[in-house]
Amino acid sequence: MSGAALAVVVVVVFLLALYLLQRYGDLRRQQRMVLLGTLLSWYLCFLIVFILPLDVSTTIYKQCILDNANHVAPVTQARHTNQTDGRSSVYPTVSLPKVCEEPWSYIPDGILPVLWRVVYWTSQFLTWLLLPFMQSYARSGTFSRVGKIKTALIENAIYYGTYLLIFISLLVYVAAHPQWQLTWRELQTIGITAANTWGLFLLVLLLGYGLVEIPRSYWLSSSNDYLLAKTYFKAAKMATEKATAEENLADVMEEVASVHGSVRYNHCLRKCVDTIITKCPTEYQEEMGRNVESSCGEQNALPTKRGLITLHKKVISAVQRHGQTRVQWSILLDQAFHLEDVAESQSSPVRHFNHSFPSVRQHSWIHRFVYTPTVEWYWECVFRQGFYRLLAVLLCLLSATVVWSECTFFSTHPVLSLFAVFVQMAEKQHNYICIEMACFVSILFLCVCVYSTVFRIRVFNYYYLVPHHQTDAYSLQFSGMLFCRLTPPLCLNFLGLIHMDSAISHQDRIQTSYTSVMGSMRVLYFISDGFYIYYPMLVLLLCFATFYSLGSRCLNLLGFHQYITDDHLTSDLVDEGRELIRRERRIKQKAEDGENRRWAWRERYGIQGATGRTRAGYTQLKDNQNSPVTEVNNSVMPFTRRDGEKEEQRCLLRDNSSDEGSPNRRSTGGRYLSLSPSRTGIFDDV
C-alpha cells in the first residue's frame, strides 16, 4: 500500500476541486487562465488538508522506530546483568519494546518533503503574486492585453509594496541580533512566518464565527417555520437588489446606446465600441440595432478612450450582477415554494408530499423508485427535524472541543488539549487508522468552519461566491487567494493542537515533513512563543460575540439588514417577502393553469401537427399544409364546459371562406393563423 493511499487522495481531491469550480464558476464562458488559477489554488489547498493526516501517521511510525532503537542497548545490558547474577531473577527487569507496525498509508521517505515544498511554494506564488495580478487583469476595462497588463501592474504596486515593507521590517529585526546569521534558510523562514502571521490573524476571526454559526444554523434549520421566515426575509432583500441591478443595467445600456449612435463605423474607436456591445445582453443588442437608424441624424459628443474603458468596466460589472440577481431570485422562489409545500404537508392528514409546481427532477428514476412522495413526506415532516438537531449537537460538541483545545494547547504537562489526548491514546496502541481518522475529522471540521465562512462572506457585492455558475472571475480568484493564505496557518495550528509542532510544544521528537518544510519559527521568538500561542485564545471572545449576534446587530445599525428575530425591521421585511412570494406564486400558478388548459385543448380535439414535451413544458405547433381545417370541423366537437364556450369554439373553427377581409384570416391550408394582427397563436388569450 506504499504510495497507493497518496495517489488515491491526489485524484479524489482534484475531482472535488473541479466539482466546486463547476458549481460556482462557468467553465464555458470564463477565461481559461482564470479557471486554471482558481482550480490550481483550490486543489493545492485541499491537497494539504487531505494529506496532512497521512503525514502525521507516518511521523508517528518513524518515532516508534526511533524509540525502539534507543531501547535496544538498555535492554541488552539488562539481560546480561541478570545472567551474571546467577539467575537471581526469572523475568527481566526491563520490558521489551513493542513491535512497530507499518501503517497502511505509509509514505516512503523523500516523497512528502518534495511534495510539501512543491505544494506550499506554488500556493504562495499564486496567492501573493499571480492571483492578485490576474484579478486586476480580469477587472480591467482596457481593450488590449498590453493595456490590461499595465493596469494590473499599477494597481498591484501598492499591494506588493505593503508586503515588501513587512518583510523588510522582519529582516531588520533579525539583522539587529548578531547571534543570528542571515542564511537562505532563515530568509525563507522569515517569509513563511510573515505569511502565516497574516493568515493566522484572519483565520481566528473566521474560525470564531464558524464554530458558533454552523451548529446554530443546523439547529435552527430543523424548524420549517424559521426557514420559511428567513426565506421571506431574503426575498424582500433580493427583490430590492434585483430592482437595483435592473435599473443599473438599464442606465449602463443607455450610455452604451448613446456611444453606439455617436461613434460611426469608420471611426478609430468603433472597434472598442463593438467590443463593449458584445458584452451586452442579446435583447439590448437587438434594440440598439433597430434604433441606430432612427438616431442617425443626431450628433452626440464623441467619447474618449478613457471613457470607453470606464464604460467597458461598468458593462461587465452590471451584466454580471444582473445575471446573478436573476438566478438567485429564481432559486429563492423555488426554496420558498418548497418550504410552503412542507408547511402544508405537515398539516395534511395524507402522508404524501405534494409539490405545487413539479420540476423536471421529480420525473427522474430516483424520485420514482427511491425518493418517492411518501418517503419525501416522512423525511420532510418527521425525520429531518430530529436528524438536524442531532447533527447540531454533535457539531456543538466539536466546537467546544476546538475552543477548549485552542485555549490550552500550550500546556504539555499535563496534556489539556483534547485533540492531543486522542492522538496520544491512539499512538500508544499503534492504531494508525484511528490516528488518521481523528486527524482528518478534526482538520476537516476546522476547514469547514473557515471555508464555509469564506463562501458566505459578502463585501458590498464586490466579492460574492454565487452557486449555479454565477460567480464572476474576481470573486473566484479572491477565494483562491484566501484559501492559499488560510490553509498553511490552519494546518500549523492543528499540528500545535495535537502537540506535533516542536516550536509550540517544545518536545524532543521527530517533526512532520510539513513542519520541516515550514521551518523553525524559533528564529522569531516573539512570534513563536507569543503570537502563535496567545492569539488563538481570542477565538473564545469571538465565539461569545457570534453567539449573541453582536456583529449582525452592528451591521443592522449601519444599514446592512441582517436577520434578527427580535427586530421590528426584520418583521417588516418578513411580511414584505411573504407578499412578494404570494404574488410570484399567483403569477406562476396562472401560467401553469394556462398551459394546462392549452394542453387539455390539444388533447381533447386532437389537432394534428401538435407536438409537446410534457404538460409542464411549452408546446410547439407545427404548420401542416396537408391537414385542412375541414378535418377538424368534421371531427368530434362536443364541449362539455359551458354552452357559451361551445358556441364560441364552433365559431372559431367554422370554415368560412368569405371572411377574407376579417382579422381572422386563414392560411392556404385552411387553418387560422391568428385572431388579431398582434398575436401569433389562437390560444394565447386562454
Side-chain angles (χ1 to χ4, degrees):
M1 293 294 293
S2 297
L6 180 62
V8 171
V9 169
V10 168
V11 175
V12 171
V13 171
F14 177 79
L15 296 178
L16 175 63
L18 186 62
Y19 166 75
L20 290 177
L21 182 62
Q22 186 270 339
R23 174 177 172 78
Y24 286 92
D26 193 343
L27 300 182
R28 296 182 179 180
R29 297 181 180 180
Q30 288 176 336
Q31 299 177 0
R32 296 294 179 263
M33 290 301 298
V34 172
L35 297 175
L36 181 60
T38 305
L39 177 62
L40 186 59
S41 60
W42 289 5
Y43 174 60
L44 294 178
C45 295
F46 296 158
L47 201 62
I48 296 176
V49 172
F50 280 80
I51 295 180
L52 191 62
L54 307 182
D55 191 5
V56 172
S57 63
T58 303
T59 303
I60 292 176
Y61 171 69
K62 293 178 181 179
Q63 183 66 39
C64 179
I65 295 177
L66 180 62
D67 293 341
N68 287 347
N70 294 334
H71 283 81
V72 169
V75 170
T76 306
Q77 184 178 0
R79 287 180 176 177
H80 180 70
T81 303
N82 291 336
Q83 291 176 0
T84 57
D85 288 344
R87 298 182 178 180
S88 60
S89 178
V90 179
Y91 298 101
T93 58
V94 180
S95 61
L96 293 174
K98 189 174 181 179
V99 178
C100 298
E101 298 179 0
E102 183 178 296
W104 69 278
S105 59
Y106 175 74
I107 301 175
D109 296 338
I111 295 180
L112 280 179
V114 176
L115 177 64
W116 286 134
R117 287 190 181 92
V118 173
V119 170
Y120 178 76
W121 289 111
T122 304
S123 63
Q124 295 304 299
F125 173 76
L126 287 173
T127 186
W128 298 107
L129 295 177
L130 185 60
L131 288 180
F133 177 82
M134 293 177 63
Q135 271 187 312
S136 301
Y137 185 90
R139 292 175 52 240
S140 177
T142 55
F143 302 96
S144 63
R145 294 182 179 179
V146 177
K148 291 179 180 292
I149 293 174
K150 183 179 178 181
T151 304
L153 291 176
I154 295 174
E155 290 183 359
N156 287 275
I158 302 176
Y159 185 78
Y160 297 143
T162 304
Y163 297 142
L164 185 61
L165 180 62
I166 297 175
F167 180 78
I168 291 176
S169 301
L170 294 175
L171 192 63
V172 171
Y173 174 81
V174 175
H177 294 76
Q179 67 272 19
W180 295 337
Q181 296 180 358
L182 291 179
T183 61
W184 174 248
R185 179 63 179 172
E186 292 184 353
L187 288 177
Q188 288 183 351
T189 303
I190 293 174
I192 294 173
T193 303
N196 289 337
T197 302
W198 190 96
L200 185 63
F201 180 80
L202 183 61
L203 174 67
V204 172
L205 298 178
L206 299 178
L207 187 62
Y209 176 82
L211 288 174
V212 176
E213 189 61 29
I214 291 179
R216 181 167 60 183
S217 64
Y218 276 99
W219 180 269
L220 295 176
S221 298
S222 62
S223 173
N224 187 75
D225 296 335
Y226 170 82
L227 289 179
L228 191 57
K230 192 172 183 179
T231 304
Y232 289 151
F233 176 81
K234 291 180 179 179
K237 291 183 60 178
M238 183 55 62
T240 304
E241 295 177 6
K242 183 172 177 290
T244 303
E246 291 175 351
E247 293 176 0
N248 185 30
L249 180 64
D251 294 340
V252 173
M253 291 299 105
E254 185 177 353
E255 295 182 21
V256 174
S258 177
V259 170
H260 177 59
S262 60
V263 179
R264 302 305 178 186
Y265 289 96
N266 56 354
H267 198 274
C268 60
L269 297 177
R270 186 62 204 182
K271 186 177 180 180
C272 300
V273 176
D274 293 337
T275 303
I276 295 176
I277 293 176
T278 57
K279 305 294 179 62
C280 300
T282 306
E283 57 271 17
Y284 285 100
Q285 294 183 22
E286 295 176 353
E287 184 178 357
M288 292 177 193
R290 290 192 300 266
N291 296 337
V292 66
E293 296 181 358
S294 59
S295 61
C296 288
E298 301 178 1
Q299 288 291 337
N300 298 325
L302 290 176
T304 61
K305 184 69 173 293
R306 186 178 298 274
L308 290 179
I309 292 175
T310 305
L311 181 60
H312 187 201
K313 192 173 182 178
K314 291 169 61 177
V315 167
I316 294 174
S317 177
V319 171
Q320 182 68 35
R321 184 58 189 155
H322 178 261
Q324 288 179 354
T325 54
R326 186 174 56 183
V327 173
Q328 286 177 294
W329 177 253
S330 177
I331 296 172
L332 197 60
L333 289 180
D334 294 339
Q335 293 176 356
F337 295 155
H338 176 74
L339 292 175
E340 290 178 345
D341 294 340
V342 172
E344 185 177 354
S345 298
Q346 287 177 346
S347 59
S348 175
V350 181
R351 297 181 178 180
H352 186 91
F353 195 88
N354 294 319
H355 291 271
S356 301
F357 307 104
S359 60
V360 179
R361 294 182 302 173
Q362 295 169 3
H363 298 283
S364 61
W365 64 272
I366 296 179
H367 288 80
R368 284 183 296 179
F369 301 105
V370 180
Y371 197 59
T372 60
T374 303
V375 175
E376 187 175 3
W377 185 90
Y378 275 102
W379 165 251
E380 294 289 349
C381 303
V382 180
F383 297 114
R384 190 179 68 87
Q385 182 178 5
F387 176 77
Y388 271 46
R389 291 189 175 181
L390 178 61
L391 183 60
V393 171
L394 295 177
L395 293 176
C396 186
L397 293 177
L398 277 176
S399 297
T401 303
V402 171
V403 173
W404 172 263
S405 300
E406 290 285 357
C407 296
T408 60
F409 73 96
F410 59 89
S411 176
T412 56
H413 300 287
V415 178
L416 298 179
S417 175
L418 297 180
F419 292 114
V421 171
F422 296 152
V423 172
Q424 290 179 7
M425 290 176 59
E427 181 181 358
K428 293 179 181 179
Q429 302 296 327
H430 297 278
N431 192 344
Y432 297 107
I433 295 180
C434 184
I435 292 173
E436 293 173 359
M437 290 302 299
C439 292
F440 180 74
V441 171
S442 304
I443 197 172
L444 182 62
F445 179 69
L446 293 175
C447 292
V448 168
C449 293
V450 175
Y451 292 167
S452 62
T453 308
V454 172
F455 277 92
R456 292 179 182 181
I457 195 173
R458 182 173 180 178
V459 185
F460 305 114
N461 295 328
Y462 193 65
Y463 161 72
Y464 189 26
L465 288 177
V466 186
H468 300 276
H469 323 290
Q470 295 299 316
T471 307
D472 59 340
Y474 182 84
S475 298
L476 286 175
Q477 293 168 346
F478 190 73
S479 65
M481 289 170 54
L482 284 181
F483 285 172
C484 291
R485 296 180 189 182
L486 293 174
T487 304
L490 185 145
C491 294
L492 272 182
N493 180 256
F494 170 74
L495 292 176
L497 295 179
I498 63 175
H499 293 173
M500 296 288 289
D501 187 1
S502 61
I504 297 175
S505 62
H506 302 286
Q507 294 179 350
D508 187 13
R509 59 177 300 159
I510 298 178
Q511 298 297 304
T512 60
S513 300
Y514 183 80
T515 309
S516 62
V517 171
M518 300 298 290
S520 177
M521 300 302 169
R522 295 176 183 175
V523 177
L524 303 173
Y525 290 105
F526 72 95
I527 292 181
S528 62
D529 297 337
F531 184 77
Y532 280 0
I533 292 178
Y534 298 106
Y535 180 71
M537 297 181 185
L538 186 62
V539 73
L540 181 61
L541 298 178
L542 294 173
C543 288
F544 277 110
T546 306
F547 180 78
Y548 291 104
S549 303
L550 296 182
S552 299
R553 295 180 187 276
C554 292
L555 290 175
N556 202 29
L557 291 176
L558 294 176
F560 303 99
H561 304 306
Q562 305 295 316
Y563 184 76
I564 302 175
T565 54
D566 56 351
D567 185 66
H568 296 289
L569 182 60
T570 301
S571 302
D572 296 339
L573 290 176
V574 169
D575 295 337
E576 181 183 350
R578 184 183 292 109
E579 294 299 327
L580 289 173
I581 297 299
R582 287 178 181 175
R583 185 190 65 182
E584 294 295 332
R585 176 182 283 274
R586 289 194 298 267
I587 294 174
K588 192 170 184 178
Q589 189 65 50
K590 289 180 180 179
E592 290 285 337
D593 294 342
E595 183 60 32
N596 291 337
R597 286 194 295 267
R598 285 190 288 269
W599 178 272
W601 172 268
R602 297 183 182 97
E603 289 291 330
R604 181 181 298 274
Y605 296 104
I607 299 179
Q608 298 182 5
T611 59
R613 296 176 297 182
T614 60
R615 179 168 291 195
Y618 291 100
T619 304
Q620 299 176 352
L621 290 177
K622 297 181 180 180
D623 292 333
N624 187 356
Q625 302 298 337
N626 297 324
S627 57
V629 76
T630 54
E631 297 180 3
V632 180
N633 196 17
N634 294 331
S635 61
V636 181
M637 289 297 298
F639 201 73
T640 59
R641 295 184 182 178
R642 292 186 298 269
D643 294 336
E645 292 184 358
K646 177 178 177 181
E647 187 65 24
E648 179 183 358
Q649 301 301 335
R650 286 181 178 177
C651 295
L652 286 175
L653 296 176
R654 185 177 298 124
D655 187 11
N656 189 356
S657 59
S658 62
D659 294 338
E660 295 179 359
S662 65
N664 301 337
R665 56 187 183 279
R666 295 178 295 141
S667 64
T668 56
R671 290 191 301 153
Y672 291 98
L673 290 178
S674 63
L675 294 177
S676 63
S678 61
R679 289 177 180 159
T680 58
I682 62 174
F683 305 111
D684 288 345
D685 58 339
V686 178

